[in-house]
Amino acid sequence: LSRTDDLTATAMTISHYYRPAPPLPASVVATLSASISGSLSSVTRETCFNVEHGELTSESRRRVEWLISETFDKASTKLSSPALASSGDTTVVEFGPRLTFCTAFSSNACEIFKQCGITSVTRFEKSIRYGFIGSLEGGDLDALKAQLHDRMTEMEYEKPIESFDAGVSPEPVTTVP
């Protein structure tokens, strides 16, 4: 078996690492607030790193976590424990790259993992989670979503992704005379 076949035969898992993201500038929050009919008191963000991997040794997992965490604030990167959660006044949405293609960010990150001796990481994508605090009405959430991501290259993740498989398979090859 080639290395690719070996990885395909291994069950792939996606681990999620969460880290607080810098706040949106006040001018951006003001622009978002002006575009809705409800009230928006603040917007918080966090970054989610979605790591698709096969079996990881404890040393490989430690290296992955070291590479993902900030050197000046290692404790802020957490495995599978998002800081943002939907509650009474908070609505959380997450946007990340479309599942149908692998981003350049992922290709570069996987090469870095490989150079660090971590060969079981097959894809590494970054998504952003937004927490809207306030009272949203009717189509307010759709109006906010439209302003915060690129519909051509990104999509909304309605829950943490469990697989990068988009469920799309290519059509069979045909011969055109």
Side-chain angles (χ1 to χ4, degrees):
L1 289 174
S2 70
R3 181 71 186 140
T4 305
D5 293 336
D6 188 32
L7 286 174
T8 305
T10 305
M12 290 293 157
T13 304
I14 294 188
S15 298
H16 305 281
Y17 291 87
Y18 299 93
R19 183 172 64 211
L24 288 173
S27 60
V28 173
V29 175
T31 301
L32 291 172
S33 294
S35 69
I36 62 172
S37 55
S39 66
L40 186 64
S41 55
S42 70
V43 180
T44 56
R45 298 187 306 168
E46 74 181 345
T47 303
C48 177
F49 298 100
N50 303 289
V51 185
E52 181 181 61
H53 58 85
E55 188 69 33
L56 283 176
T57 64
S58 59
E59 177 61 19
S60 291
R61 183 171 297 281
R62 188 187 68 72
R63 287 181 185 183
V64 168
E65 291 172 3
W66 181 83
L67 288 166
I68 293 173
S69 62
E70 292 285 354
T71 55
F72 58 87
D73 188 13
K74 291 181 185 194
S76 68
T77 303
K78 305 211 180 309
L79 172 64
S80 297
S81 59
L84 293 177
S86 292
S87 63
D89 278 357
T90 304
T91 304
V92 177
V93 295
E94 181 176 1
F95 300 108
R98 292 198 169 273
L99 301 179
T100 53
F101 67 94
C102 184
T103 64
F105 174 83
S106 176
S107 298
N108 289 331
C110 287
E111 183 60 29
I112 291 169
F113 287 128
K114 182 179 168 188
Q115 294 300 318
C116 291
I118 309 164
T119 57
S120 62
V121 173
T122 56
R123 191 162 171 191
F124 180 84
E125 298 289 2
K126 180 171 69 168
S127 58
I128 299 290
R129 295 168 41 90
Y130 293 91
F132 302 112
I133 301 169
S135 57
L136 303 178
E137 300 173 4
D140 287 350
L141 190 56
D142 290 333
L144 291 170
K145 288 179 188 179
Q147 296 179 62
L148 292 172
H149 81 289
D150 177 2
R151 293 180 318 198
M152 182 178 271
T153 61
E154 296 177 324
M155 63 182 281
E156 181 179 359
Y157 298 160
E158 298 196 7
K159 60 181 181 158
I161 58 174
E162 297 170 0
S163 169
F164 283 112
D165 181 18
V168 178
S169 57
E171 293 182 22
V173 176
T174 60
T175 304
V176 177

